[in-house]
Amino acid sequence: AQKVTQAQTEISVVEKEDVTLDCVYETRDTTYYLFWYKQPPSGELVFLIRRNSFDEQNEISGRYSWNFQKSTSSFNFTITASQVVDSAVYFCALSEHSGGGADGLTFGKGTHLIIQP
Amino acid sequence: GAGVSQTPSNKVTEKGKYVELRCDPISGHTALYWYRQSLGQGPEFLIYFQGTGAADDSGLPNDRFFAVRPEGSVSTLKIQRTERGDSAVYLCASSLIGRRGEQFFGPGTRLTVL
């Protein structure tokens, strides 16, 4: 069965520090998709990135970067030079391509990121 | 364009009552999902529609929960004989291409069962 683990419940850093959010997943599928979502205090989940299992290239988008490593089943998210507006709960999620698992996303429990001014 | 909308934003009901929660997906999105999010947890999958049919309802916790999408657009999640444990935020999401694509979430309906 698919599973996503975000071991860090809460992280607090001072503004401008770099921070990495960890995500470890489990799946029996060889084709799958990994996602990160941001949930700000307003509550609405915001899509950040989707990565398929065949693309292990790291991705950078502005201050955000993602490190996908199949060998360790990890899909970590780094925010460089953090800002107060980055404060939110961040969720890692998994979707399997073939049947067997549910068709919805399987989410981790989330990491609450607090950026202090 | 308009995002996913959900009504009502808040619903307070008494134990044993029936409730309906509505989701209006992004126009043209054939895939629609319902999730439930309890405090301090990630969203938990309930049901997935592809068009009008429920392609996967394996996440519905029991037969008190039911969802429909009769015309392949708006969906309604129905909960009978509500229990205090049903209290949560119910999220709806839509997607253009199903499980492989990014899902766009609505603001959710906060259900409180007294």
Side-chain angles (χ1 to χ4, degrees):
Chain A
Q2 60 220 54
K3 183 180 177 182
V4 175
T5 301
Q6 294 180 256
Q8 304 149 309
T9 305
E10 183 174 291
I11 299 175
S12 181
V13 300
V14 176
E15 199 172 20
K16 297 183 184 173
E17 286 185 14
D18 299 347
V19 58
T20 295
L21 310 182
D22 297 334
C23 173
V24 174
Y25 61 91
E26 294 176 31
T27 176
R28 280 181 250 180
D29 249 6
T30 54
T31 303
Y32 50 89
Y33 306 91
L34 294 163
F35 303 79
W36 276 94
Y37 282 85
K38 173 181 181 179
Q39 190 171 43
S42 61
E44 195 157 335
L45 281 156
V46 176
F47 167 80
L48 295 177
I49 190 171
R50 175 180 66 122
R51 177 62 57 158
N52 76 57
S53 52
F54 294 109
D55 184 0
E56 284 194 76
Q57 278 193 333
N58 290 333
E59 180 152 344
I60 298 173
S61 176
R63 295 184 297 106
Y64 295 172
S65 62
W66 291 269
N67 184 344
F68 175 33
Q69 292 199 343
K70 285 178 78 169
S71 61
T72 55
S73 296
S74 66
F75 186 44
N76 297 338
F77 173 32
T78 297
I79 302 175
T80 303
S82 60
Q83 299 176 3
V84 172
V85 293
D86 296 326
S87 296
V89 180
Y90 290 85
F91 291 97
C92 181
L94 167 72
S95 174
E96 293 179 336
H97 180 74
S98 61
D103 278 316
L105 292 172
T106 297
F107 284 85
K109 292 189 174 182
T111 297
H112 184 198
L113 178 62
I114 301 167
I115 310 296
Q116 300 185 28
Chain B
V4 177
S5 63
Q6 292 186 247
T7 54
S9 54
N10 278 285
K11 176 71 177 178
V12 180
T13 190
E14 293 180 345
K15 181 174 177 293
K17 299 288 189 183
Y18 168 83
V19 297
E20 289 189 352
L21 312 179
R22 175 189 167 110
C23 171
D24 205 334
I26 293 172
S27 178
H29 282 194
T30 58
L32 185 146
Y33 302 80
W34 283 97
Y35 294 84
R36 178 169 69 175
Q37 187 175 21
S38 301
L39 194 63
Q41 302 293 317
E44 176 190 359
F45 168 73
L46 296 177
I47 186 169
Y48 159 56
F49 287 89
Q50 183 59 257
T52 60
D56 182 357
D57 63 359
S58 62
L60 294 178
N62 52 60
D63 61 5
R64 295 186 298 106
F65 289 74
F66 188 70
V68 296
R69 195 186 184 199
E71 297 177 358
S73 178
V74 171
S75 176
T76 305
L77 178 66
K78 309 180 180 194
I79 311 174
Q80 298 177 323
R81 304 184 304 280
T82 51
E83 299 177 356
R84 292 196 179 88
D86 298 335
S87 296
V89 176
Y90 288 81
L91 298 169
C92 177
S94 70
S95 171
L96 199 52
I97 56 172
R99 62 163 78 217
R100 293 171 290 124
E102 57 265 41
Q103 296 179 21
F104 296 89
F105 283 79
T109 293
R110 182 176 298 278
L111 175 66
T112 303
V113 182
L114 301 176

